[in-house]
Amino acid sequence: MRLILLGAPGAGKGTQANSICEKFRIPQISTGEMLRAEIKSKSQLGLAAKKIMESGQLLEDDIIIQLVLKRLTSTDCIEGYLFDGFPRTIPQADALETQEIFLDIVLELTLDDEQIINRMSGRRIHQSSGRSYHLEFNPPKNDGVDDITGEPLIQREDDMPETVKHRLQVYQDETKPLVAYYQTQESKSPLKYIAVDGSQPVEKVFEDIEQNF
Ligand code: AP5
Ligand code: MG
């Protein structure tokens, strides 16, 4: 099972990725999480990525493609994987084709901008695992701490309202064209394109995903 989760910032990709990966026993390959890990370790890539991510811009395609191709050489990817936040541009999608990496499912989570802004303002994350919560819609069992480790939750630097607006614009300009890109591919390959209404409660979104697989 190789699949892509497409959707605007805050559409719930990370949230649904957890359930999908658990069910299919495949790793989640989130380029956002990988980059946040680089920032945390203060690597050269992390230092370069920090400013770009905080401003809501995308990193250069070549950097991201290299990062992903290296990740795919890990043994845990043999049975499949889920891409979360990758590909995010047409050249990134083209790179998968060039490498003859073919996909089974492209799953789009749809949501309108107003709901996205609400979700981002209430999001809190567990830094080391990337698990995300929402103060109102998806609260942790105990206030302010991760359900599994009990460690404190933090707010992401790029979840400030102005940055969120910019990220949404970048999504429209750079990533949204991938919807048409994969819809066109569906007709000439075994790939299945699915769109699920991401505005529903977390459990209902997952139910719809399961029904469509
Ligand atoms: P990335 O980390 O991928 O961020 P993103 O795509 O903007 O998406 P988010 O992680 O913000 O949202 P999500 O869809 O995962 O939503 P979540 O499940 O957390 O990328 C960050 C940055 O890294 C980019 O801006 C860029 O700079 C760089 N980058 C990454 N990949 C790149 C690439 N390929 N190329 C170039 N640059 C790249 O949910 C959001 C909130 O809503 C949470 O609080 C959650 O609890 C809540 N929630 C989720 N589902 C529901 C629901 N159904 N109902 C109510 N609340 C819900
Ligand atoms: Mg995410």
Side-chain angles (χ1 to χ4, degrees), residues 9 13 31-32 58 84-90 92-93 174-175 178:
K13 299 182 297 296
T31 40
L58 298 182
D84 162 6
F86 175 88
R88 227 176 174 101
T89 63
I90 301 278
Q92 292 180 17
E174 305 276 345
T175 310
L178 289 176

Side-chain angles (χ1 to χ4, degrees), residues 53-182:
M53 289 172 75
E54 282 175 9
S55 70
Q57 290 293 121
L58 298 182
L59 274 88
E60 274 176 43
D61 289 329
D62 288 350
I63 295 177
I64 296 290
I65 292 164
Q66 273 180 36
L67 195 68
V68 170
L69 293 181
K70 186 168 169 229
R71 176 67 183 84
L72 293 183
T73 61
S74 302
T75 49
D76 66 338
C77 293
I78 290 171
E79 300 290 330
Y81 38 80
L82 175 149
F83 286 130
D84 162 6
F86 175 88
R88 227 176 174 101
T89 63
I90 301 278
Q92 292 180 17
D94 284 341
L96 289 179
E97 274 217 22
T98 308
Q99 296 289 324
E100 300 192 346
I101 296 170
F102 299 110
L103 301 151
D104 300 299
I105 294 175
V106 175
L107 169 65
E108 184 194 1
L109 295 175
T110 60
L111 197 70
D112 68 40
D113 286 6
E114 200 185 319
Q115 288 170 312
I116 285 175
I117 291 168
N118 277 338
R119 285 192 184 180
M120 307 298 240
S121 60
R123 171 161 60 185
R124 297 294 180 273
I125 62 157
H126 175 238
Q127 199 172 15
S128 57
S129 69
R131 269 185 290 281
S132 76
Y133 299 86
H134 191 283
L135 295 180
E136 191 186 337
F137 311 132
N138 185 22
K141 292 190 183 108
N142 297 307
D143 277 356
V145 295
D146 178 48
D147 288 351
I148 294 175
T149 62
E151 288 168 357
L153 302 178
I154 59 156
Q155 197 165 9
R156 255 169 62 173
E157 295 277 356
D158 57 351
D159 278 351
M160 303 302 146
E162 277 314 304
T163 316
V164 170
K165 280 190 199 147
H166 184 59
R167 286 165 62 200
L168 285 171
Q169 190 58 51
V170 171
Y171 177 76
Q172 288 301 332
D173 297 343
E174 305 276 345
T175 310
K176 190 78 186 177
L178 289 176
V179 170
Y181 178 102
Y182 284 116

Side-chain angles (χ1 to χ4, degrees), residues 178-193:
L178 289 176
V179 170
Y181 178 102
Y182 284 116
Q183 279 171 341
T184 314
Q185 277 208 356
E186 192 182 25
S187 58
K188 51 181 182 177
S189 70
L191 178 146
K192 190 170 171 190
Y193 187 89

